């Protein structure tokens, strides 16, 4: 089944121009060389090939990589060139104030960071990755940006399979690895860890299961869905399994609501929210233990994380950093415990403390609320685009309970920025503000 086929969407909207303005058409005005370069940049921002290019597998130490340095410089140049040369893209980037608040706060934390150099470097990396997501939506408005990124993610799964077949010594965890030998035999593909590939492939599978032939023709779609599920099976990642299950769940839920008459959407959304809350309570009090332990074979203590999180927080409270935090990207968590935090919410609290964490969390909530509003008030014929910010950000928030992906160089950061950009872009279209392509641009970077 095709989710809102292009032909049906075109008939619903009336004219090709309206279709293009909404960003729902499949034809890109960005040249092929630019799209290929953008795809390569996104793949390295997953991040991919880091362990293959920058890790000494004998000592376990990270070493410099000229290739990664070149990609980093190219990414920064591409992002800022796109902002400067494409007026619609530049205007959209300036409108997305939630992303700028996060960027400014990250840089500002260098003033009190206990590792100022690391903070400035991490903040610059985050800025480039976050702006990349905004640029994707600026250059490929609406659904075209979503389609482009999902296709690129599918290619990432295919590359991981190729690496497993051709370079198993780095694409599969080995007993001879300098670290994480407990995962020997599990896939990591083009990623540095099996959890990275698991989350990535699960999310890719979930998106493909929902959008289906809106992304690829049926045979190609089936092939790439098989690639993503194969990668997920190779990792045996619980996080990936959850991602593959809840991603289409949130998308279908949001799509159902977005297609209802406007007066019925808010009450229906509240009912869904209550149902999700009850599921969360059920997990917390142990009602779902049989399903999780007996059927899925997974531990209910989140693989031990729930036991050492209180220890990490207790050490943080007595560290002297609790008011302002240790600084963004300063790796303060490494001094709090021998265990990895593996929780995005705690990770940000350690970095920004009591004083600035409410601001970071506030941006997260504002992004979620913007996505909800887009579902509840958006035009039904634009549903497949309007549901993406809410669904993808909801999934990201849930998965960060067991992962630390907030504000890092990873796919989650790109997707969050895309969600914010789509919220502003679709809201502008709905209110009849200036069109996305209302100004000329140079070098083929047209919005």
């Amino acid at each position: 089944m095709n989710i809102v086929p292009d032909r049906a969407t075109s008939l619903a909207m009336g004219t090709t121009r309206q279709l293009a303005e909404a960003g729902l058409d499949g034809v890109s005005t960005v040249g092929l060389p630019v799209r290929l370069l953008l795809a390569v940049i996104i793949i390295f921002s997953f991040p991919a090939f880091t362990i293959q290019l920058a890790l000494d597998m004998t000592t376990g130490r990270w070493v410099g990589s000229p290739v990664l340095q070149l990609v980093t410089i190219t990414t920064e140049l591409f992002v800022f060139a796109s902002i400067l040369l494409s007026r619609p893209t530049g205007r959209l980037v300036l409108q997305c104030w939630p992303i700028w608040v996060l960027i400014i706060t990250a840089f500002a934390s260098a003033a009190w960071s206990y590792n100022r150099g690391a903070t400035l470097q991490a903040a610059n990396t985050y800025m480039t990755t976050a702006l990349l997501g905004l640029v994707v939506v600026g250059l490929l408005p609406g659904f075209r940006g979503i389609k482009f990124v999902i296709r690129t993610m599918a290619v990432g799964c295919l590359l991981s399979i190729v690496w497993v077949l051709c370079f198993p010594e780095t694409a599969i965890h080995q007993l001879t690895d300098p670290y994480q030998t407990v995962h020997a035999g599990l896939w990591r593909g083009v990623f540095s860890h099996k959890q990275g590939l698991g989350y990535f492939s699960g999310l890719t599978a979930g998106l493909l299961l929902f959008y289906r032939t809106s992304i690829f023709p049926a045979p190609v779609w089936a092939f790439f869905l098989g690639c993503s599920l194969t990668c997920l099976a190779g990792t045996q990642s619980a996080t990936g399994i959850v991602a593959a299950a809840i991603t289409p769940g949130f998308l279908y839920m949001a799509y159902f609501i977005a297609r209802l008459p406007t007066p019925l959407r808010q009450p229906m959304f509240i009912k869904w929210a209550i149902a999700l809350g009850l599921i969360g309570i059920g997990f917390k009090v142990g009602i779902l233990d049989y399903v999780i332990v007996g059927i899925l074979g997974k531990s209910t203590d989140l693989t031990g994380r729930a036991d050492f999180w209180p220890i990490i927080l207790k050490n943080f409270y007595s560290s002297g950093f609790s008011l302002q935090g240790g600084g963004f990207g300063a790796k303060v968590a490494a001094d709090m415990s021998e265990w990895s935090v593996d929780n995005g919410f705690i990770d940000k609290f350690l970095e920004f403390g009591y004083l600035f964490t409410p601001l970071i969390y506030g941006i997260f909530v504002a992004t979620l609320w913007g996505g909800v509003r887009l579902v509840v008030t958006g035009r039904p014929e634009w549903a497949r685009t309007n549901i993406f910010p809410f669904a993808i950000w909801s999934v990201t928030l849930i998965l960060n309970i067991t992962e630390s992906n907030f504000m890092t160089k990873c796919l989650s950061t790109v997707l969050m920025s895309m969600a914010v950009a789509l919220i502003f872009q679709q809201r502008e279209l709905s209110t009849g503000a200036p069109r996305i392509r209302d100004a000329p641009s140079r070098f083929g970077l047209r919005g």
Side-chain angles (χ1 to χ4, degrees):
M1 181 182 72
N2 191 358
I3 303 299
V4 192
D6 287 342
R7 181 176 298 178
T9 306
S10 181
L11 291 174
M13 298 188 64
T15 69
T16 303
R17 167 170 286 189
Q18 287 176 310
L19 189 66
E21 288 172 0
L24 298 177
D25 59 322
V27 180
S28 173
T29 57
V30 177
L32 179 60
V34 174
R35 279 181 284 154
L36 289 175
L37 177 59
L38 182 57
V40 171
I41 287 173
I42 292 175
I43 288 174
F44 275 93
S45 297
F46 283 163
F49 301 110
T50 304
I51 190 172
Q52 289 84 358
L53 295 172
L55 181 69
D56 186 333
M57 295 299 293
T58 302
T59 64
R61 294 185 177 182
W62 295 100
V63 295
S65 168
V67 175
L68 292 180
Q69 292 172 0
L70 177 62
V71 171
T72 299
I73 295 172
T74 301
T75 302
E76 293 182 351
L77 291 175
F78 179 86
V79 165
F80 287 106
S82 300
I83 294 172
L84 294 174
L85 299 177
S86 172
R87 293 181 186 177
T89 300
R91 187 179 68 246
L92 177 65
V93 169
L94 291 177
Q95 288 175 342
C96 295
W97 60 265
I99 299 300
W100 286 108
V101 171
L102 295 178
I103 291 172
I104 292 171
T105 307
F107 274 106
S109 69
W112 61 83
S113 173
Y114 89 114
N115 190 340
R116 185 170 300 176
T119 293
L120 291 174
Q121 182 178 2
N124 182 70
T125 300
Y126 167 65
M127 178 182 68
T128 302
T129 309
L131 293 181
L132 175 62
L134 302 183
V135 165
V136 169
V137 177
L139 297 179
L140 300 166
F143 189 70
R144 283 177 293 165
I146 297 172
K147 182 177 182 178
F148 180 82
V149 169
I150 295 176
R151 283 184 168 185
T152 305
M153 292 168 63
V155 172
C157 291
L158 175 60
L159 286 174
S160 289
I161 294 176
V162 171
W163 247 248
V164 167
L165 295 176
C166 299
F167 310 104
E169 65 278 2
T170 57
I172 300 176
H173 285 277
Q174 306 289 336
L175 281 173
T176 55
D177 287 349
Y179 68 101
Q180 297 286 344
T181 55
V182 66
H183 300 309
L186 300 179
W187 291 16
R188 57 186 166 207
V190 297
F191 293 81
S192 301
H193 193 272
K194 69 104 177 178
Q195 200 75 343
L197 177 59
Y199 160 75
F200 177 86
S201 58
L203 187 60
T204 303
L207 290 169
L208 288 174
L209 284 170
F210 175 77
Y211 283 112
R212 308 178 85 169
T213 53
S214 293
I215 305 301
F216 292 113
V220 181
W221 169 82
F223 170 77
F224 279 112
L225 177 63
C227 289
S228 62
L229 293 176
T230 299
C231 288
L232 182 58
T235 66
Q236 299 180 26
S237 168
T239 300
I241 294 172
V242 171
I246 67 175
T247 300
F250 273 103
L251 286 166
Y252 275 113
M253 177 193 75
Y255 185 74
F256 172 78
I257 295 173
R259 300 288 293 180
L260 291 173
T262 303
L264 300 180
R265 295 183 195 174
Q266 184 173 339
M268 182 59 67
F269 206 102
I270 293 174
K271 293 178 182 178
W272 279 106
I274 292 174
L276 292 174
L278 291 175
I279 293 174
I281 293 173
F283 174 81
K284 189 69 176 177
V285 301
I287 295 175
L288 302 178
D289 284 1
Y290 174 73
V291 176
I292 296 171
V293 179
I295 298 179
L296 297 179
K298 302 296 180 180
S299 61
T300 55
D301 64 352
L302 304 177
T303 321
R305 294 177 177 90
D307 295 328
F308 58 73
W309 284 336
I311 300 174
I312 294 174
L313 289 173
K314 182 179 179 181
N315 293 337
F316 180 66
Y317 297 145
S318 59
S319 67
F321 296 121
S322 59
L323 180 61
Q324 295 176 310
F328 177 69
K331 303 189 187 314
V332 64
D335 291 341
M336 300 298 108
S337 169
E338 61 182 296
W339 304 291
S340 176
V341 174
D342 285 336
N343 182 299
F345 299 95
I346 295 178
D347 203 39
K348 294 307 107 181
F349 176 59
L350 299 181
E351 292 179 343
F352 294 104
Y354 283 109
L355 198 57
F356 294 100
T357 299
L359 177 62
I360 304 299
Y361 286 178
I363 295 299
F364 294 169
V365 173
T367 302
L368 183 64
W369 179 244
V372 171
R373 286 187 58 192
L374 204 57
V375 172
V376 173
T377 64
R379 294 172 59 168
E381 59 267 29
W382 297 351
R384 67 174 180 177
T385 300
N386 289 343
I387 64 176
F388 185 83
F390 162 74
I392 204 68
W393 187 232
S394 297
V395 171
T396 300
L397 291 173
I398 292 174
L399 296 184
N400 264 275
I401 296 174
T402 56
E403 296 295 322
S404 295
N405 289 329
F406 288 139
M407 300 174 68
T408 60
K409 183 181 179 179
C410 68
L411 177 66
S412 292
T413 298
V414 175
L415 293 178
M416 181 204 181
S417 294
M418 288 183 62
V420 171
L422 285 167
I423 289 170
F424 281 88
Q425 190 178 82
Q426 296 300 105
R427 186 185 302 168
E428 181 178 286
L429 287 167
S430 298
T431 56
R435 295 192 300 270
I436 295 173
R437 286 187 284 251
D438 64 349
S441 61
R442 291 171 282 179
F443 298 99
L445 297 178
R446 293 183 291 176

